[in-house]
Amino acid sequence: QQQVKQSPQSLIVQKGGISIINCAYENTAFDYFPWYQQFPGKGPALLIAIRPDVSEKKEGRFTISFNKSAKQFSLHIMDSQPGDSATYFCAAIPTGGGNKLTFGTGTQLKVEL
Amino acid sequence: NAGVTQTPKFRILKIGQSMTLQCTQDMNHNYMYWYRQDPGMGLKLIYYSVGAGITDKGEVPNGYNVSRSTTEDFPLRLELAAPSQTSVYFCASSYVTSGVGEQFFGPGTRLTVL
């Protein structure tokens, strides 16, 4: 069953706008939440990650917000650029889970000029 | 460092054929993984290994086999290819001492079974 739910499936944002992708997890204790970025024809690459003892983490234009009580986390891309156009996956690693990733279904982001 | 390399990049198989997807990493990582990516489904873990000689099943292991005789190599074997195995396959590796370690992905192998 899907333990990490991601939305929206696709997203179109104007250049300079804010892109927001949401994820929610259920039923399982997770203790690490990475976001991956994937360009066409390439493998996913780690973008930013957060642990559940922190409510927010920012790296440049990318911010993760984490709500432990609601079991939700989101990625915000500020000042979105055409070069950000890619597929984004949220993921989670369960507590004691041997570093195994459970992925969301992905969001295709397109940033238009 | 080349990172994680995968061969072949593309392959077309007929139903019932077998093949091995190759994966090599040169980062001396202890953990290695195989995922498959289907449209709209994210990536799902097929098998993983925490070190040479140690492998374990992931979420979708049926129809696949793996071995890990060296730290560097982690081949994935398809014995009797089926159309349901049409997918993009990604190998990944990470260095894990305690807790978590970033996973580094290869460029993928696109497999079509007809």
Side-chain angles (χ1 to χ4, degrees):
Chain A
Q1 73 263 18
Q2 185 66 43
Q3 294 180 321
V4 178
K5 296 184 177 180
Q6 183 171 349
S7 63
Q9 186 174 358
S10 62
L11 181 62
I12 300 175
V13 173
Q14 295 300 307
K15 180 175 181 283
I18 302 173
S19 304
I20 301 174
I21 303 170
N22 300 300
C23 285
Y25 61 98
E26 57 189 17
N27 300 332
T28 302
F30 295 107
D31 61 9
Y32 185 69
F33 299 89
W35 285 86
Y36 282 80
Q37 181 186 55
Q38 184 181 31
F39 293 103
K42 305 291 186 183
L46 180 66
L47 183 64
I48 186 172
I50 196 169
R51 292 189 182 272
D53 53 350
V54 176
S55 62
E56 185 176 283
K57 183 174 181 180
K58 183 176 181 180
E59 290 184 0
R61 297 185 294 108
F62 301 91
T63 300
I64 301 177
S65 298
F66 186 83
N67 186 329
K68 188 173 183 178
S69 61
K71 294 186 178 180
Q72 295 175 345
F73 57 110
S74 60
L75 175 69
H76 294 229
I77 306 174
M78 311 300 288
D79 187 26
S80 298
Q81 299 297 312
D84 297 330
S85 297
T87 300
Y88 293 81
F89 293 95
C90 62
I93 292 180
T95 303
N99 206 48
K100 293 180 288 183
L101 288 163
T102 296
F103 281 89
T105 50
T107 297
Q108 279 194 314
L109 171 65
K110 183 177 181 181
V111 181
E112 294 184 335
L113 293 170
Chain B
N1 284 355
V4 179
T5 57
Q6 293 182 237
T7 57
K9 285 184 168 46
F10 305 93
R11 184 73 185 269
I12 298 175
L13 280 182
K14 294 182 179 179
I15 294 172
Q17 286 185 321
S18 62
M19 77 164 293
T20 298
L21 283 67
Q22 301 291 345
C23 175
T24 300
Q25 55 94 6
D26 63 357
M27 297 174 282
N28 201 31
H29 286 171
N30 49 354
Y31 282 47
M32 296 187 75
Y33 316 80
W34 275 104
Y35 294 89
R36 60 176 288 171
Q37 182 176 23
D38 300 307
M41 298 295 291
L43 286 83
K44 294 194 181 295
L45 183 64
I46 305 171
Y47 271 96
Y48 69 103
S49 168
V50 301
I54 306 170
T55 63
D56 206 349
K57 296 177 181 179
E59 186 181 355
V60 290
N62 291 345
Y64 308 95
N65 278 300
V66 294
S67 60
R68 184 131 180 242
S69 57
T70 66
T71 299
E72 296 78 18
D73 300 306
F74 190 41
L76 178 71
R77 179 82 177 164
L78 283 72
E79 290 294 348
L80 290 170
S84 61
Q85 293 178 305
T86 294
S87 188
V88 181
Y89 292 84
F90 289 100
C91 179
S93 70
S94 62
Y95 183 69
V96 181
T97 52
S98 61
V100 303
E102 178 183 350
Q103 292 191 23
F104 294 83
F105 285 79
T109 293
R110 184 175 293 274
L111 176 67
T112 302
V113 182
L114 300 174

